[in-house]
Amino acid sequence: MMKLCLSTFIALAFVCQLTGNGIAYAEDQPVEQGTFELAPEILAALAECRAPRDVLGETGMALFTGSAIPEWLAPVDDDGHDGMMGLETFDLKTPITVFGAPTTRIAFLQEWVVTEQTYDAALETIRKQDMKRAPIKVTEQYYRFVDPESGPMIGAFAPTDDALAVMLGMPMEAGKPKTMFVGCNYAIASQKDFLDAAAKADTMAGDAGQDIQEMLEGEP
């Protein structure tokens, strides 16, 4: 069986869900069924880890289950990241503010809700949000937990368009990335869970690459 199971906290091409049940954060109220209406302010709150996890689920239902997408939001056919499996990007007709920066584009990746910033702008956000560098070599990633026991996690990570190539042993592109994704990860896990997964990420990515290579070599 291929070893492609990584925490959703780890920003790699191959990910799997962490187990756990949804939680209600302090001062947050659960969304009542039938009353949810997606608004731009909700997307900003999600990206900044200010919304309860219930809202992420309601937003997902509104955007990905056949419901009518609001007229102020448009799916992006080409977001420049074809290599990032599962990335779903949308343009807004009017800007929202995320971590102090205006943006008209927001994206979803597994449990992540993110905006894309230039590398230098992302580093400034990382500094202002007091994020730390995660112990991962295969990709550049930063983190700060809102609740160290159960998340969510404010984070930033470099695009992983070439993650599969890196897993297969091809050299990474030299120099800093042009952009980084910055936002919130709503997976239910502790900071310890994340750091444990991060410490294993490079080895697991290498193992996954070896499995893929063996699978490809075994094909007629």
Side-chain angles (χ1 to χ4, degrees):
M1 183 175 180
M2 295 172 64
K3 307 179 187 71
L4 301 182
C5 186
L6 296 177
S7 161
T8 54
F9 277 123
I10 309 303
L12 297 175
F14 299 98
V15 293
C16 72
Q17 297 287 345
L18 281 169
T19 58
N21 297 318
I23 59 171
Y25 303 113
E27 301 180 2
D28 288 332
Q29 297 297 323
V31 178
E32 296 182 9
Q33 288 189 345
T35 64
F36 181 80
E37 183 175 351
L38 186 60
E41 295 77 13
I42 289 176
L43 298 181
L46 283 170
E48 293 182 343
C49 285
R50 294 187 289 106
R53 196 176 190 282
D54 302 44
V55 171
L56 178 60
E58 294 281 357
T59 300
M61 291 287 289
L63 296 179
F64 305 118
T65 62
S67 301
I69 296 176
E71 58 86 23
W72 49 266
L73 198 62
V76 176
D77 292 330
D78 182 8
D79 57 14
H81 297 291
D82 291 341
M84 293 184 65
M85 297 187 304
L87 184 70
E88 299 288 346
T89 306
F90 296 85
D91 278 340
L92 296 96
K93 286 189 175 180
T94 57
I96 58 174
T97 300
V98 178
F99 297 124
T103 183
T104 56
R105 180 166 288 191
I106 196 156
F108 299 82
L109 178 66
Q110 301 290 329
E111 300 284 334
W112 289 95
V113 182
V114 295
T115 63
E116 190 170 10
Q117 300 183 2
T118 66
Y119 183 75
D120 289 341
L123 289 184
E124 182 65 14
T125 301
I126 289 164
R127 183 188 67 79
K128 289 181 177 179
Q129 292 297 319
D130 196 27
M131 297 185 221
K132 297 180 180 179
R133 177 74 185 264
I136 306 169
K137 295 179 181 178
V138 72
T139 188
E140 187 170 348
Q141 185 168 344
Y142 300 83
Y143 71 96
R144 177 173 65 81
F145 274 71
V146 176
D147 181 343
E149 297 302 318
S150 57
M153 180 186 82
I154 296 173
F157 59 92
T160 56
D161 302 85
D162 300 324
L164 178 57
V166 172
M167 287 181 182
L168 293 175
M170 300 177 187
M172 296 180 64
E173 184 176 343
K176 65 183 182 183
K178 294 179 180 179
T179 64
M180 294 190 76
F181 289 102
V182 181
C184 183
N185 189 306
Y186 283 89
I188 306 300
S190 68
Q191 180 170 303
K192 182 180 181 301
D193 292 332
F194 167 70
L195 292 175
D196 287 347
K200 301 171 184 175
D202 295 311
T203 298
M204 293 176 71
D207 290 345
Q210 183 176 351
D211 286 344
I212 295 169
Q213 187 66 48
E214 291 174 355
M215 181 184 68
L216 293 176
E217 291 174 353
E219 291 182 352

